[in-house]
Amino acid sequence: MRASDVDRDRVAAVLREHTAQGRISVEEFNERLEQVYQSKTYGELARVTADLPDVDLRAQPARVPAAKSPQQGMHPGMRGAWAAWASAVAVTSVIWLLTDFGGYFWPMWVAGPWGALLLVSSIFGTNRK
């Protein structure tokens, strides 16, 4: 039977979990991942995971709720954007502290406009997960 992209992604997730648990090395994970995305049938996918425990390729993925409430957090991309902003502000602030502490706080030109754009995007942007 032919495998779909969802099936290949499911096996890739299984391989990531087994790598995290230490059953396979990162190098072996990369080799197997390449085989997974070249696989066309369930049989080929099964051969990639044959020596790993508890692998059921036909298991249905857990259903994800259609709509997430705002309390469950923001889009992962937006969290990444805020993390990048915080990192840039931290780095420029440390440079300012080491070179010109007490002088003109120039990192505000990094933090201010970028932070304002992120804030507007966070408040008014759509929450697409």
Side-chain angles (χ1 to χ4, degrees), residues 4 13 59 64 74 77-78 88 104:
S4 69
V64 177
M74 66 176 71
M78 188 57 72
Y104 179 71

Side-chain angles (χ1 to χ4, degrees), residues 104-123:
Y104 179 71
F105 186 69
W106 56 266
M108 72 178 170
W109 294 107
V110 174
W114 189 4
L117 288 172
L118 282 176
L119 184 61
V120 169
S121 295
S122 294
I123 293 172

Side-chain angles (χ1 to χ4, degrees), residues 11 15 28 32 35-36 38-52 55 57:
V11 174
L15 289 175
E28 188 176 359
R32 288 182 187 221
Q35 292 172 1
V36 164
Q38 291 175 353
S39 298
K40 292 185 172 122
T41 65
Y42 280 116
E44 291 172 346
L45 289 176
R47 281 191 291 275
V48 174
T49 57
D51 61 336
L52 299 173
V55 177
L57 299 180

Side-chain angles (χ1 to χ4, degrees), residues 12 17 24-27 55 57 72 78 85 90 110 127 129:
E17 182 62 31
I24 57 176
S25 68
V26 174
E27 294 81 23
V55 177
L57 299 180
Q72 291 179 328
M78 188 57 72
W85 174 83
V110 174
N127 190 12
K129 284 194 177 182

Side-chain angles (χ1 to χ4, degrees), residues 11 29 32 50 78 88 91 96-99 114 117 124-125 127:
V11 174
F29 167 75
R32 288 182 187 221
M78 188 57 72
V91 167
W96 173 77
L97 281 171
L98 295 173
T99 59
W114 189 4
L117 288 172
F124 297 109
N127 190 12

